Short mmCIF file of all heavy atoms in Angstrom, two decimals:
data_model
loop_
_atom_site.label_atom_id
_atom_site.label_comp_id
_atom_site.label_asym_id
_atom_site.label_seq_id
_atom_site.Cartn_x
_atom_site.Cartn_y
_atom_site.Cartn_z
N PRO A 26 121.42 -44.54 115.06
CA PRO A 26 121.13 -45.55 114.05
C PRO A 26 121.16 -44.99 112.63
O PRO A 26 120.82 -43.83 112.40
CB PRO A 26 119.72 -46.03 114.42
CG PRO A 26 119.10 -44.86 115.12
CD PRO A 26 120.22 -44.18 115.86
N HIS A 27 121.57 -45.82 111.69
CA HIS A 27 121.61 -45.45 110.28
C HIS A 27 121.13 -46.64 109.46
O HIS A 27 121.80 -47.68 109.41
CB HIS A 27 123.05 -45.07 109.88
CG HIS A 27 123.24 -45.01 108.40
ND1 HIS A 27 124.01 -45.93 107.70
CD2 HIS A 27 122.74 -44.15 107.46
CE1 HIS A 27 123.98 -45.64 106.41
NE2 HIS A 27 123.22 -44.57 106.24
N VAL A 28 119.95 -46.51 108.85
CA VAL A 28 119.40 -47.59 108.03
C VAL A 28 120.16 -47.64 106.71
O VAL A 28 120.24 -46.64 105.99
CB VAL A 28 117.90 -47.38 107.77
CG1 VAL A 28 117.36 -48.45 106.83
CG2 VAL A 28 117.12 -47.41 109.09
N PHE A 29 120.73 -48.82 106.38
CA PHE A 29 121.49 -48.92 105.14
C PHE A 29 120.95 -49.99 104.20
O PHE A 29 121.40 -50.10 103.06
CB PHE A 29 122.98 -49.20 105.42
CG PHE A 29 123.26 -50.53 106.06
CD1 PHE A 29 123.49 -51.66 105.28
CD2 PHE A 29 123.30 -50.65 107.43
CE1 PHE A 29 123.74 -52.88 105.86
CE2 PHE A 29 123.55 -51.88 108.03
CZ PHE A 29 123.77 -53.01 107.24
N ALA A 30 119.97 -50.77 104.63
CA ALA A 30 119.38 -51.77 103.75
C ALA A 30 117.98 -52.11 104.24
O ALA A 30 117.68 -52.00 105.43
CB ALA A 30 120.24 -53.02 103.69
N VAL A 31 117.12 -52.51 103.29
CA VAL A 31 115.76 -52.94 103.60
C VAL A 31 115.51 -54.27 102.90
O VAL A 31 115.73 -54.38 101.69
CB VAL A 31 114.72 -51.89 103.15
CG1 VAL A 31 113.31 -52.40 103.45
CG2 VAL A 31 114.96 -50.55 103.83
N GLN A 32 115.08 -55.27 103.66
CA GLN A 32 114.78 -56.58 103.09
C GLN A 32 113.27 -56.72 102.98
O GLN A 32 112.54 -56.58 103.98
CB GLN A 32 115.32 -57.68 104.00
CG GLN A 32 116.82 -57.54 104.27
CD GLN A 32 117.66 -58.43 103.40
OE1 GLN A 32 118.32 -59.31 103.88
NE2 GLN A 32 117.63 -58.19 102.10
N GLY A 33 112.77 -57.01 101.76
CA GLY A 33 111.34 -57.11 101.54
C GLY A 33 110.87 -58.55 101.43
O GLY A 33 111.54 -59.49 101.85
N GLU A 34 109.68 -58.71 100.86
CA GLU A 34 109.06 -60.03 100.77
C GLU A 34 109.93 -61.01 99.98
O GLU A 34 110.54 -60.64 98.98
CB GLU A 34 107.68 -59.90 100.11
CG GLU A 34 106.70 -59.09 100.95
CD GLU A 34 105.36 -58.90 100.26
OE1 GLU A 34 105.20 -59.44 99.15
OE2 GLU A 34 104.50 -58.20 100.83
N GLN A 35 109.99 -62.23 100.48
CA GLN A 35 110.75 -63.35 99.91
C GLN A 35 112.27 -63.17 100.05
O GLN A 35 113.04 -63.90 99.44
CB GLN A 35 110.39 -63.57 98.43
CG GLN A 35 108.94 -64.02 98.21
CD GLN A 35 108.64 -64.21 96.73
OE1 GLN A 35 108.46 -63.26 95.98
NE2 GLN A 35 108.60 -65.47 96.33
N GLN A 36 112.68 -62.20 100.86
CA GLN A 36 114.10 -62.03 101.16
C GLN A 36 114.36 -62.49 102.59
O GLN A 36 113.44 -62.80 103.35
CB GLN A 36 114.52 -60.58 100.95
CG GLN A 36 114.43 -60.14 99.49
CD GLN A 36 114.87 -58.70 99.30
OE1 GLN A 36 114.39 -57.79 99.96
NE2 GLN A 36 115.77 -58.50 98.35
N PHE A 37 115.64 -62.51 102.99
CA PHE A 37 116.00 -63.06 104.30
C PHE A 37 117.10 -62.22 104.94
O PHE A 37 117.86 -61.53 104.27
CB PHE A 37 116.44 -64.52 104.18
CG PHE A 37 117.50 -64.76 103.14
CD1 PHE A 37 118.85 -64.57 103.43
CD2 PHE A 37 117.15 -65.20 101.88
CE1 PHE A 37 119.83 -64.80 102.47
CE2 PHE A 37 118.12 -65.44 100.91
CZ PHE A 37 119.46 -65.24 101.21
N THR A 38 117.17 -62.31 106.25
CA THR A 38 118.16 -61.55 107.02
C THR A 38 119.39 -62.41 107.26
O THR A 38 119.41 -63.62 107.05
CB THR A 38 117.58 -61.14 108.38
OG1 THR A 38 117.28 -62.32 109.14
CG2 THR A 38 116.32 -60.31 108.20
N GLY A 39 120.45 -61.75 107.73
CA GLY A 39 121.65 -62.46 108.18
C GLY A 39 122.87 -62.22 107.33
O GLY A 39 122.78 -61.76 106.18
N GLU A 40 124.02 -62.51 107.92
CA GLU A 40 125.30 -62.53 107.21
C GLU A 40 126.18 -63.54 107.92
O GLU A 40 125.68 -64.39 108.65
CB GLU A 40 125.90 -61.13 107.07
CG GLU A 40 126.18 -60.39 108.34
CD GLU A 40 127.66 -60.41 108.70
OE1 GLU A 40 128.53 -60.36 107.82
OE2 GLU A 40 127.95 -60.49 109.89
N LEU A 41 127.48 -63.51 107.71
CA LEU A 41 128.34 -64.62 108.11
C LEU A 41 128.31 -64.93 109.60
O LEU A 41 128.56 -66.08 110.00
CB LEU A 41 129.78 -64.33 107.67
CG LEU A 41 130.03 -64.39 106.17
CD1 LEU A 41 131.49 -64.04 105.86
CD2 LEU A 41 129.70 -65.77 105.62
N ASP A 42 128.01 -63.96 110.44
CA ASP A 42 128.03 -64.24 111.88
C ASP A 42 126.91 -65.18 112.31
O ASP A 42 126.91 -65.64 113.46
CB ASP A 42 127.95 -62.93 112.67
CG ASP A 42 129.30 -62.23 112.74
OD1 ASP A 42 130.32 -62.91 112.54
OD2 ASP A 42 129.34 -61.01 112.97
N LEU A 43 125.98 -65.51 111.42
CA LEU A 43 124.99 -66.52 111.76
C LEU A 43 125.59 -67.91 111.85
O LEU A 43 124.99 -68.84 112.38
CB LEU A 43 123.83 -66.52 110.75
CG LEU A 43 122.57 -65.77 111.21
CD1 LEU A 43 122.85 -64.28 111.31
CD2 LEU A 43 121.41 -66.04 110.28
N PHE A 44 126.81 -68.08 111.32
CA PHE A 44 127.49 -69.37 111.40
C PHE A 44 128.46 -69.43 112.58
O PHE A 44 129.15 -70.44 112.74
CB PHE A 44 128.26 -69.64 110.11
CG PHE A 44 127.39 -69.93 108.93
CD1 PHE A 44 127.21 -68.99 107.95
CD2 PHE A 44 126.74 -71.15 108.81
CE1 PHE A 44 126.39 -69.25 106.85
CE2 PHE A 44 125.93 -71.42 107.72
CZ PHE A 44 125.75 -70.47 106.74
N THR A 45 128.53 -68.39 113.37
CA THR A 45 129.50 -68.34 114.46
C THR A 45 128.82 -68.00 115.78
O THR A 45 127.61 -67.75 115.82
CB THR A 45 130.57 -67.26 114.19
OG1 THR A 45 129.98 -65.95 114.33
CG2 THR A 45 131.13 -67.40 112.78
N ASP A 46 129.62 -67.97 116.81
CA ASP A 46 129.15 -67.50 118.12
C ASP A 46 129.59 -66.05 118.34
O ASP A 46 129.63 -65.56 119.46
CB ASP A 46 129.72 -68.41 119.23
CG ASP A 46 129.09 -68.11 120.58
OD1 ASP A 46 127.90 -67.77 120.62
OD2 ASP A 46 129.81 -68.20 121.60
N HIS A 47 129.93 -65.35 117.25
CA HIS A 47 130.37 -63.96 117.36
C HIS A 47 129.20 -63.03 117.64
O HIS A 47 128.04 -63.34 117.32
CB HIS A 47 131.04 -63.51 116.05
CG HIS A 47 132.27 -64.27 115.71
ND1 HIS A 47 132.99 -64.06 114.56
CD2 HIS A 47 132.93 -65.25 116.38
CE1 HIS A 47 134.02 -64.87 114.51
NE2 HIS A 47 134.01 -65.62 115.62
N GLN A 48 129.52 -61.87 118.17
CA GLN A 48 128.52 -60.81 118.27
C GLN A 48 128.20 -60.30 116.87
O GLN A 48 129.11 -60.06 116.07
CB GLN A 48 129.03 -59.66 119.13
CG GLN A 48 129.21 -60.01 120.60
CD GLN A 48 129.69 -58.82 121.42
OE1 GLN A 48 129.76 -57.69 120.93
NE2 GLN A 48 130.04 -59.06 122.67
N ILE A 49 126.93 -60.14 116.56
CA ILE A 49 126.56 -59.68 115.23
C ILE A 49 126.83 -58.18 115.09
O ILE A 49 126.92 -57.45 116.07
CB ILE A 49 125.09 -59.99 114.90
CG1 ILE A 49 124.14 -59.26 115.86
CG2 ILE A 49 124.85 -61.49 114.93
CD1 ILE A 49 122.69 -59.34 115.43
N LEU A 50 126.94 -57.73 113.83
CA LEU A 50 127.37 -56.37 113.54
C LEU A 50 126.23 -55.39 113.32
O LEU A 50 126.44 -54.17 113.39
CB LEU A 50 128.27 -56.37 112.29
CG LEU A 50 129.55 -57.19 112.39
CD1 LEU A 50 130.24 -57.24 111.03
CD2 LEU A 50 130.47 -56.61 113.43
N VAL A 51 125.04 -55.88 112.99
CA VAL A 51 123.94 -54.98 112.62
C VAL A 51 122.71 -55.27 113.46
O VAL A 51 122.61 -56.31 114.13
CB VAL A 51 123.59 -55.14 111.12
CG1 VAL A 51 124.81 -54.86 110.25
CG2 VAL A 51 123.05 -56.54 110.82
N SER A 52 121.78 -54.33 113.41
CA SER A 52 120.48 -54.49 114.07
C SER A 52 119.40 -54.54 113.00
O SER A 52 119.57 -54.06 111.88
CB SER A 52 120.22 -53.32 115.02
OG SER A 52 121.22 -53.22 116.02
N GLY A 53 118.26 -55.14 113.35
CA GLY A 53 117.15 -55.24 112.42
C GLY A 53 115.82 -55.03 113.11
O GLY A 53 115.61 -55.53 114.21
N ARG A 54 114.92 -54.28 112.45
CA ARG A 54 113.58 -54.04 113.00
C ARG A 54 112.58 -54.05 111.85
O ARG A 54 112.92 -53.73 110.71
CB ARG A 54 113.53 -52.71 113.74
CG ARG A 54 113.77 -51.50 112.85
CD ARG A 54 114.02 -50.25 113.64
NE ARG A 54 114.37 -49.13 112.75
CZ ARG A 54 115.03 -48.04 113.13
NH1 ARG A 54 115.43 -47.91 114.40
NH2 ARG A 54 115.29 -47.07 112.26
N THR A 55 111.35 -54.39 112.15
CA THR A 55 110.32 -54.45 111.12
C THR A 55 109.93 -53.04 110.68
O THR A 55 109.88 -52.12 111.48
CB THR A 55 109.07 -55.19 111.61
OG1 THR A 55 108.63 -54.59 112.84
CG2 THR A 55 109.37 -56.66 111.85
N ARG A 56 109.71 -52.92 109.38
CA ARG A 56 109.19 -51.66 108.82
C ARG A 56 107.71 -51.89 108.52
O ARG A 56 107.35 -52.49 107.52
CB ARG A 56 109.93 -51.27 107.54
CG ARG A 56 109.33 -50.03 106.87
CD ARG A 56 110.01 -49.70 105.55
NE ARG A 56 111.28 -49.04 105.75
CZ ARG A 56 111.99 -48.47 104.76
NH1 ARG A 56 111.53 -48.52 103.51
NH2 ARG A 56 113.14 -47.88 105.02
N GLY A 57 106.88 -51.44 109.42
CA GLY A 57 105.45 -51.70 109.30
C GLY A 57 105.11 -53.11 109.74
O GLY A 57 105.98 -53.94 110.04
N ASP A 58 103.81 -53.40 109.83
CA ASP A 58 103.37 -54.73 110.24
C ASP A 58 103.91 -55.76 109.25
O ASP A 58 103.85 -55.56 108.03
CB ASP A 58 101.84 -54.80 110.29
CG ASP A 58 101.27 -53.91 111.39
OD1 ASP A 58 102.06 -53.47 112.25
OD2 ASP A 58 100.05 -53.65 111.37
N SER A 59 104.43 -56.87 109.78
CA SER A 59 105.10 -57.85 108.93
C SER A 59 104.76 -59.26 109.36
O SER A 59 104.33 -59.51 110.50
CB SER A 59 106.62 -57.66 108.99
OG SER A 59 107.00 -56.36 108.57
N ARG A 60 104.95 -60.19 108.42
CA ARG A 60 104.81 -61.61 108.71
C ARG A 60 106.12 -62.28 108.33
O ARG A 60 106.61 -62.12 107.21
CB ARG A 60 103.63 -62.19 107.91
CG ARG A 60 103.29 -63.63 108.24
CD ARG A 60 101.83 -63.95 107.87
NE ARG A 60 101.57 -63.74 106.46
CZ ARG A 60 101.55 -64.71 105.54
NH1 ARG A 60 101.78 -65.97 105.91
NH2 ARG A 60 101.29 -64.44 104.28
#
């Protein structure tokens, strides 16, 4: 694994594959306890 971006408060995940039935390109995990 190679972390290349961090999304913080009031930001959102996703890219174009959320509009398709394609396999997504990236993985995402929480950094610390999150809501």
Side-chain angles (χ1 to χ4, degrees):
H27 166 249
V28 176
F29 65 89
V31 178
Q32 304 261 245
E34 295 177 3
Q35 295 180 284
Q36 294 181 308
F37 51 84
T38 63
E40 60 102 36
L41 290 178
D42 280 339
L43 260 68
F44 289 105
T45 71
D46 189 35
H47 297 177
Q48 293 181 8
I49 63 170
L50 299 173
V51 302
S52 301
R54 64 193 175 201
T55 54
R56 175 184 282 190
D58 294 346
S59 301
R60 186 157 59 99

